[in-house]
Amino acid sequence: MFTPKIPPPDTAPTPGTSLVPPLTGLVHTPACTCHHTPTTPAPAAPPAGPAVRFTPGSLLVAAAGGTALVLVVGTVLVSMLLAVAITAASVAVCAVVLRSLLNRPNNR
């Protein structure tokens, strides 16, 4: 069961040979048989104006959306900080109680 199973010497590959036969007879045709001459590209025209135009209404909506996003993210972060602080305080109280119980077993 734990002994290695080595193939018989007549079927084992020799170190100089490969198990995969080499590919022969493959001829690749070129993708394009025509001959192109390189040309210089035309310079790109500069943009005529700004790509995004804001109206007063869209600016107001963008400002309100940004404010709402900041308030929501701030609320989530503050609540996470508060949860960590409450957990730390409760662990500290538990540590003090356990310390007082373990230090004075005769004074109960």
Side-chain angles (χ1 to χ4, degrees), residues 25-33:
L26 293 179
V27 177
H28 295 284
T29 58
C32 179
T33 57

Side-chain angles (χ1 to χ4, degrees), residues 9-74:
D10 59 340
T11 60
T14 60
T17 61
S18 173
L19 293 176
V20 180
L23 298 175
T24 58
L26 293 179
V27 177
H28 295 284
T29 58
C32 179
T33 57
C34 56
H35 301 285
H36 296 285
T37 57
T39 60
T40 58
V52 179
R53 296 176 193 241
F54 288 110
T55 62
S58 65
L59 285 176
L60 185 63
V61 168
T67 303
L69 181 69
V70 166
L71 289 176
V72 168
V73 170

